[in-house]
Amino acid sequence: MRRRCGRARARLALLAVVGIIMSPVSPALAWNPLGLEAGGPWRWDTTSAVVWNPDGGPLGQLGNATANTWVADAFGNWQAVTTAVISYSQGGQIIDPNTGNPTDVTSANYNDVINADNGQNPIIYDNDRDIFDMLGTPNGVLGFAGVLRRNGATITKGWAVLQGDWYDGDTSDVGEVTENEFRGMMVHEFGHFSGLAHTEVNRGIASTGLPGCVPPTSVDFATMSPFNHADSQSLNEDDKVGVSVLYPTAAFQSDFAEIQGVLIDRDGVSRFQGANMILRPDSTNCSQLYGRAQGMQSGAVPAENGGAGSYRFSGLAANSGYTVQATVIKAGGSYPIDPPASLGGPEEYFNGANEDWFDPPDDPAAKTVVTTGAAGTVVENVDLKINNAGNPARVPADLMGEALDGNTPLDPVTLQLDDGSVESASAYGGTAQAAWINRFTPASEELPFQVQGIDILIWHSSVQVGRDIRLLVYVDENATGDPANATLVYTEDVQVQVVSSSTFNEYSLTSPPMVNQGEFYVGAYDLVADPPDTFIMSYDTDANAGRSFRQANSTAPAGYSLFGETWMIRARGATVPPAGSVRLTWSPSCNDAQVPGQDYGVYEGSLAALPASPDHAPIACSTGKKTSYTVISPG
């Protein structure tokens, strides 16, 4: 999405992502992929042009023909990148799946159009805000775009919705933007359509600049910044690198060098997800320091190129020097790992042989220049360790252990796929009764897991409080990812408690079922077969999805099909460790006042071996900074 003013959030979803751009702040950013699969980042098949399908109506001041031309021009900015192979082509007008005819998309047929599996990639012109109003989209949003369907990592359906009220010549409604800003919004949204997320490099220094340099100007700001600016139509080098990594030409792969590494957490072992890794050339030229900088989140790298906590900078000059820094991502946009993480330590540079998680010996401000190799090569193992302040501490002597009986749940947790914001709702036509479920996969150390509650957000005005629904719990012990292989283990009939865009219906299960292995599905079935369309299934279009399923008139496991967004359904429960497990608790470290928020490791061995601990094997390298840990018995 692109915003003109105010606060907004946009999160990644497996099948639909919206990005948000706001003003007046205008940071310079690099690139991140929209999403990742085992096969790599999400991207289009480029053996032929990506076809986009225009709406049939006007867009603000623009008649349909002019709007189509502006859209084509915006796609052309990405196609013009010489180191990328993606191309775009205008296809036929959007088809209404109900009539089979070309259409001007409105709130009446919007859901049908975006859910249709007809090979079209709709670019929708919401000229009078009826679609945005139906979705509850804030007035400040100019447009949103992303991915609706994929086959693995290959994008098969994309879409965008552009808001005409912001460019209609009427300043009395939501406001107005300039032509450059409106065209720039299109370029930004089609970056999302192409597989790019928001990214950050210079936002934290947008007002102060780098030492010895004036603050960066809009010329240095990337199109995929989450903030609006006057130069969005002109792709920054960071944008060009991003689209080239997704769709590289042979020259991009052979003519440039790369740097890669891992960000290590303060325990010196764990990989840290979601921080902002910034690369800059080793230069005193302020224009190069801003314009040739790159940034990506640690962990936003395919598994085959590093996986958790990893970063990888591409498109670098051969035999040239660069510095690498770990910083915090500021709020305001969607990223592959969202919400962005707090470092828990100081922002710092890679420091070569002195890289360490304590200061001393690693001064966070000290930096070692990394020199790239020949074109086509990768400099590996440029690993940063987030600093603690002060020296390591010891756990005090009040360590306590409690043997568990196999019936004692650990601390309750809530499992959720959504980001907390509902964007729309879905319904089956006529008297069809909807069943909708989300899939959750506990880690092996979280099993057995007791499902104690199900929370459901129902917000559409077509649903009334008191409507009868049936809660559902399925278990698939083999964790196949297919509800057809699951068994329905629990049902309970309840009623809708509240209809709200922010307050969940909270149901505590009368006889909580246990998931001993595999994964489970939770959801509900509509027990009322009323004739009007009832939009009971609320969903989130911008969170991590690919785990939501639905069907009509049945709760049989084999009837479910994958849905393109994420249901607003959450599971509440707790791990129930087998008998023989031990819960350990202790007080904070003796130097906690000097070094607050420390993490802890758990080791197993004999007390006689302390303090040298030669026989102590690690059970957990991190407790998440908690002063408790449960050692799970194999049962």
Side-chain angles (χ1 to χ4, degrees):
M1 289 186 184
R2 176 166 285 185
R3 259 195 173 202
R4 181 63 181 168
C5 59
R7 181 180 183 272
R9 299 176 69 190
R11 302 275 169 103
L12 289 180
L14 193 59
L15 296 176
V17 176
V18 285
I20 291 179
I21 290 193
M22 299 184 283
S23 67
V25 182
S26 301
L29 310 178
W31 86 281
N32 277 305
L34 198 60
L36 297 169
E37 289 292 321
W42 300 351
R43 48 193 161 200
W44 292 92
D45 180 353
T46 57
T47 54
S48 59
V50 178
V51 177
W52 57 272
N53 302 93
D55 200 337
L59 182 61
Q61 301 179 43
L62 310 179
N64 183 257
T66 303
N68 294 345
T69 298
W70 283 25
V71 169
D73 290 345
F75 274 117
N77 282 32
W78 295 105
Q79 183 170 318
V81 177
T82 59
T83 50
V85 296
I86 192 169
S87 62
Y88 311 86
S89 175
Q90 179 177 341
Q93 190 174 311
I94 296 172
I95 298 296
D96 186 329
N98 299 308
T99 65
N101 297 322
T103 186
D104 176 2
V105 182
T106 68
S107 59
N109 61 357
Y110 169 77
N111 280 317
D112 296 323
V113 166
I114 65 169
N115 287 322
D117 190 9
N118 58 2
Q120 289 200 319
N121 301 301
I123 309 299
I124 297 170
Y125 306 153
D126 187 12
N127 190 54
D128 55 4
R129 282 198 60 83
D130 72 319
I131 295 174
F132 273 43
D133 289 340
M134 176 189 72
L135 299 176
T137 310
N139 287 344
V141 176
L142 278 76
F144 56 87
V147 174
L148 286 167
R149 297 182 188 274
R150 295 179 296 105
N151 181 8
T154 302
I155 303 170
T156 58
K157 184 180 180 73
W159 103 118
V161 183
L162 311 178
Q163 176 53 255
D165 262 7
W166 277 101
Y167 192 67
D168 62 358
D170 181 4
T171 60
S172 66
D173 46 24
V174 295
E176 286 292 294
V177 294
T178 66
E179 176 179 332
N180 282 343
E181 289 173 325
F182 198 70
R183 283 177 173 262
M185 174 271 292
M186 293 183 179
V187 180
H188 174 95
E189 299 306 340
F190 301 152
H192 289 317
F193 178 98
S194 301
L196 296 175
H198 291 154
T199 51
E200 281 194 13
V201 172
N202 293 328
R203 181 176 176 190
I205 56 172
S207 59
T208 61
L210 292 171
C213 300
V214 299
T217 68
S218 62
V219 175
D220 303 311
F221 302 157
T223 294
M224 295 313 297
S225 157
F227 285 79
N228 197 7
H229 60 81
D231 295 301
S232 291
Q233 289 188 77
S234 301
L235 298 184
N236 184 274
E237 181 176 339
D238 305 329
D239 303 310
K240 295 176 182 178
V241 167
V243 75
S244 299
V245 172
L246 291 179
Y247 310 102
T249 62
F252 185 79
Q253 293 174 309
S254 63
D255 294 355
F256 300 94
E258 295 184 312
I259 291 174
Q260 73 173 29
V262 176
L263 182 62
I264 306 297
D265 206 345
R266 293 192 299 164
D267 60 6
V269 179
S270 306
R271 290 165 168 249
F272 191 91
Q273 294 276 87
N276 196 29
M277 307 303 297
I278 297 178
L279 175 140
R280 300 185 192 276
D282 178 32
S283 174
T284 58
N285 184 306
C286 295
S287 178
Q288 290 190 9
L289 287 172
Y290 293 140
R292 291 177 54 201
Q294 291 190 41
M296 72 181 309
Q297 280 185 281
S298 59
V301 178
E304 60 268 30
N305 289 332
S310 298
Y311 69 90
R312 188 180 182 101
F313 293 116
S314 304
L316 308 179
N319 303 310
S320 298
Y322 296 89
T323 61
V324 180
Q325 185 184 22
T327 69
V328 177
I329 291 179
K330 309 302 186 291
S334 62
Y335 301 91
I337 301 166
D338 203 4
S342 172
L343 283 177
E347 296 186 346
E348 64 175 296
Y349 288 91
F350 173 71
N351 198 18
N354 289 323
E355 188 62 35
D356 195 82
W357 52 94
F358 289 100
D359 173 24
D362 182 16
D363 178 357
K367 49 191 173 185
T368 297
V369 174
V370 181
T371 302
T372 56
T377 63
V378 181
V379 178
E380 300 179 324
N381 303 318
V382 183
D383 299 342
L384 279 80
K385 299 175 181 177
I386 301 173
N387 275 20
N388 292 279
N391 296 313
R394 287 189 180 277
V395 173
D398 62 350
L399 176 66
M400 301 293 293
E402 174 191 4
L404 302 180
D405 59 6
N407 298 305
T408 305
L410 299 184
D411 294 337
V413 297
T414 297
L415 306 179
Q416 69 181 76
L417 306 177
D418 63 273
D419 70 355
S421 63
V422 60
E423 276 77 45
S424 189
S426 181
Y428 284 104
T431 60
Q433 296 166 247
W436 64 108
I437 54 176
N438 274 350
R439 175 168 67 97
F440 296 99
T441 308
S444 59
E445 64 270 17
E446 297 171 329
L447 294 169
F449 188 87
Q450 186 179 62
V451 184
Q452 300 168 342
I454 299 175
D455 300 339
I456 305 173
L457 187 73
I458 300 174
W459 72 282
H460 200 274
S461 59
S462 63
V463 185
Q464 301 299 314
V465 171
R467 187 183 185 91
D468 294 324
I469 60 175
R470 177 168 296 161
L471 302 179
L472 307 170
V473 180
Y474 302 80
V475 173
D476 177 7
E477 293 188 348
N478 295 315
T480 63
D482 185 350
N485 298 320
T487 300
L488 182 61
V489 299
Y490 185 84
T491 64
E492 183 174 341
D493 291 355
V494 296
Q495 292 183 328
V496 173
Q497 303 163 337
V498 60
V499 176
S500 168
S501 62
S502 58
T503 302
F504 278 74
N505 293 263
E506 298 181 354
Y507 304 104
S508 295
L509 304 188
T510 303
S511 301
M514 194 80 74
V515 181
N516 293 305
Q517 65 183 60
E519 59 190 4
F520 64 94
Y521 301 76
V522 300
Y525 175 59
D526 185 11
L527 294 175
V528 182
D530 47 0
D533 291 352
T534 305
F535 289 81
I536 195 168
M537 299 187 290
S538 302
Y539 62 84
D540 179 3
T541 63
D542 51 27
N544 185 23
R547 289 174 166 263
S548 295
F549 300 82
R550 67 176 179 176
Q551 65 172 313
N553 298 322
S554 175
T555 59
Y560 284 97
S561 60
L562 185 67
F563 183 67
E565 284 78 35
T566 298
W567 302 132
M568 302 293 290
I569 301 173
R570 301 172 181 175
R572 283 182 284 112
T575 301
V576 182
S581 301
V582 177
R583 176 184 289 166
L584 303 174
T585 58
W586 58 90
S587 297
S589 301
C590 54
N591 69 341
D592 186 67
Q594 292 75 32
V595 189
Q598 295 181 71
D599 203 358
Y600 302 89
V602 179
Y603 293 79
E604 182 178 28
S606 60
L607 290 175
L610 292 173
S613 302
D615 69 341
H616 280 60
I619 294 177
C621 295
S622 169
T623 68
K625 303 172 186 174
K626 297 179 180 179
T627 55
S628 65
Y629 186 81
T630 300
V631 181
I632 304 294
S633 167

